[in-house]
Amino acid sequence: MGYLRGFAVTFRQIFQRPVTTPYLIGKGPKAPKPERLHGRHVLNRYEDGMEKCIGCELCAGVCPARCIYVRGADNPPTDPVSPGERYGYVYEINYLRCIHCDLCVEACPTEAITETKLFEFSFTSRADAIYTKDELLVDEAGMPKHLPWEDWRPGEEEFTSGWVRATAPAGDASYEGRVGWSGELGFGVRAPEGDQESRDASGSAGRAS
Amino acid sequence: MSNDDGILNAGLEGVPHSVLTAPLEELVKWARVRSCMPATFGLACCAIEMMATGGPHYDLARLGMETFRASPRQADLMIVAGRVSQKMAPVLRQIYDQMVEPKWVISMGVCASSGGMFNNYAIVQGVDQVVPVDVYAPGCPPGPETLLHAILTLHDKIRTGELMRRPGEGAGLVIEQRDGQVDTPVTLGRRGDTPTSGLIGVERSAS
């Protein structure tokens, strides 16, 4: 009769809550994401609407997958696009090469490129996978563009900007808890992430939304 | 209805659309969407995420995909999960050829889609040079939700697509079928109409 105990184990599980994340496109909640997840990129703007990208191509240089293509151009003196001398005239990321390592975000001197938490997207054609500057750049309100093959949920834009960089430039621990980035459109200057001890104490365990 | 494309010449592909066939087509598509059995074809780290998608936390069985079939002859979806080396490419093609029609391919992860960061002599730079890919899932590796997104995108494609013709934007290469299922060479890409331009790194001859 020993086998009945095995059935009993199975039977007990019937009354337990399922662990499944009921995710479908546009339906069902997503599983909670780690606070520092690397998703699709955005190109940010300053609070006055100017683009942060200065076309220096450091992101393209550091990219291990060679998925970024940047071409800079001189700012027109009458109607500058970015506060610097140059701006990103062409900016393309091939998402069929990008490995989301975030080295471009680390390399960017102006925090123009950051990564969102959006990771639910797929393409039916190779051409869709190459994001141009129009698709990457945030809109007038500082919100990322929602493309038809991406599954954005309300409130996900909150995790879009330079704020997702946990500490300060280059991840130097001595910058922990200090604001090391400039204000940006739609979000302004945000409070930095707390230091590790306070995070451990509050038990937030690095989970966002 | 033209006689050239009749059912005698072109088989089921030649059946004209009509009031009678429309509900049947819907039914067939409905059945295909809800029983899309994937073949077990994990090649690298993406396979771990693929297994996670099959596990209880993401539960592919919700979508009627149930289990990964160990035999390609019982599968109609190939999830190419991982980098494809030059030596693996013929094997991949053989597995694809062994699958029965209708069959679909999801290229999971950047390595399968374009070679990813392995831009070298050993890795096939995009599995669509070998088989026609329907959906590309980006990421290194794609998370279970990205794979679910790709699978649901494929479901949409099956539901809204043609019953017999499957336009896949491949690399446009012409490949001989190895097992004699079809005696005409298979072109990876759209059948019949003009090749799409502007694809990355693919030179097409205007024929």
Side-chain angles (χ1 to χ4, degrees):
Chain A
M1 296 298 280
Y3 59 87
L4 281 184
R5 286 171 59 198
F7 284 129
V9 170
T10 311
F11 191 69
R12 268 204 307 277
Q13 305 300 318
I14 292 176
F15 302 106
Q16 297 208 346
R17 281 183 57 217
V19 292
T20 307
T21 309
Y23 174 75
L24 294 172
I25 294 181
K27 289 181 285 188
K30 298 176 179 178
K33 286 185 174 155
E35 215 164 72
R36 300 182 188 182
L37 182 130
H38 301 160
R40 112 149 154 79
H41 301 83
V42 284
L43 286 174
N44 293 309
R45 292 176 191 265
Y46 286 106
E47 278 177 311
D48 58 1
M50 276 202 173
E51 290 172 13
K52 284 188 175 181
C53 179
I54 53 171
C56 65
E57 304 184 22
L58 278 177
C59 47
V62 80
C63 182
R66 294 274 178 271
C67 71
I68 306 183
Y69 173 65
V70 192
R71 209 165 75 207
D74 284 340
N75 259 322
T78 51
D79 184 23
V81 182
S82 79
E85 208 173 288
R86 289 161 71 76
Y87 72 105
Y89 174 60
V90 178
Y91 203 103
E92 288 175 3
I93 297 182
N94 182 359
Y95 276 96
L96 292 186
R97 286 234 179 241
C98 175
I99 58 169
H100 300 277
C101 61
D102 238 13
L103 283 178
C104 48
V105 181
E106 296 287 339
C108 185
T110 59
E111 275 144 5
I113 184 164
T114 51
E115 296 209 343
T116 64
K117 295 276 174 292
L118 181 95
F119 205 38
E120 290 80 17
F121 57 139
S122 59
F123 316 104
T124 51
S125 115
R126 294 192 78 97
D128 289 346
I130 299 173
Y131 278 45
T132 57
K133 192 180 161 190
D134 279 345
E135 293 164 328
L136 289 167
L137 198 65
V138 296
D139 64 7
E140 303 291 314
M143 297 299 168
K145 197 169 262 187
H146 297 190
L147 295 163
W149 49 82
E150 295 173 350
D151 188 12
W152 286 90
R153 298 293 170 81
E156 272 191 330
E157 292 95 345
E158 298 283 318
F159 307 99
T160 289
S161 54
W163 180 78
V164 301
R165 294 185 60 180
T167 54
D172 188 343
S174 61
Y175 284 89
E176 201 173 59
R178 281 166 51 184
V179 177
W181 53 85
S182 45
E184 51 197 310
L185 200 66
F187 302 103
V189 180
R190 304 205 219 184
E193 195 182 56
D195 58 2
Q196 198 164 5
E197 282 169 13
S198 65
R199 269 181 284 137
D200 287 348
S202 66
S204 65
R207 287 280 182 174
S209 69
Chain B
M1 186 198 337
S2 69
N3 286 330
D4 304 339
D5 258 4
I7 189 167
L8 292 178
N9 291 327
L12 282 179
E13 210 167 320
V15 175
H17 295 280
S18 75
V19 173
L20 290 176
T21 57
L24 182 66
E25 278 188 18
E26 290 303 312
L27 182 72
V28 170
K29 284 177 191 170
W30 176 84
R32 281 182 184 174
V33 165
R34 275 158 182 79
S35 64
C36 204
M37 292 290 181
T40 311
F41 202 60
L43 291 170
C45 27
C46 279
I48 305 293
E49 296 290 324
M50 192 169 74
M51 287 182 250
T53 316
H57 274 274
Y58 290 94
D59 202 11
L60 268 184
R62 288 186 292 139
L63 308 175
M65 305 182 76
E66 217 62 52
T67 49
F68 288 87
R69 313 314 297 189
S71 161
R73 296 182 197 280
Q74 298 166 354
D76 42 15
L77 166 65
M78 183 160 73
I79 302 178
V80 184
R83 59 205 136 65
V84 180
S85 59
Q86 301 283 1
K87 210 155 187 181
M88 196 66 188
V91 182
L92 179 103
R93 180 69 204 183
Q94 189 167 19
I95 288 190
Y96 179 77
D97 286 343
Q98 283 176 349
M99 286 161 61
V100 286
E101 287 278 0
K103 49 193 173 185
W104 294 274
V105 178
I106 288 179
S107 168
M108 179 183 181
V110 293
C111 296
S113 302
S114 74
M117 63 182 298
F118 302 109
N119 191 355
N120 57 29
Y121 61 89
I123 302 294
V124 174
Q125 298 296 305
V127 78
D128 50 6
Q129 296 177 13
V130 187
V131 292
V133 174
D134 291 290
V135 180
Y136 302 86
C140 185
E145 285 174 343
T146 313
L147 181 59
L148 276 178
H149 192 284
I151 288 169
L152 290 162
T153 307
L154 179 73
H155 283 182
D156 268 354
K157 204 172 172 177
I158 299 171
R159 188 159 45 230
T160 57
E162 283 277 313
L163 198 61
M164 301 297 292
R165 296 181 188 83
R166 290 187 300 104
E169 251 183 89
L173 304 177
V174 177
I175 283 182
E176 301 278 340
Q177 194 95 336
R178 309 175 100 210
D179 57 352
Q181 279 185 17
V182 190
D183 42 5
T184 51
V186 178
T187 308
L188 303 183
R190 288 183 186 283
R191 261 201 274 174
D193 50 51
T194 52
T196 44
S197 57
L199 297 184
I200 37 170
V202 179
E203 284 295 323
R204 291 166 186 279
S205 59
S207 57

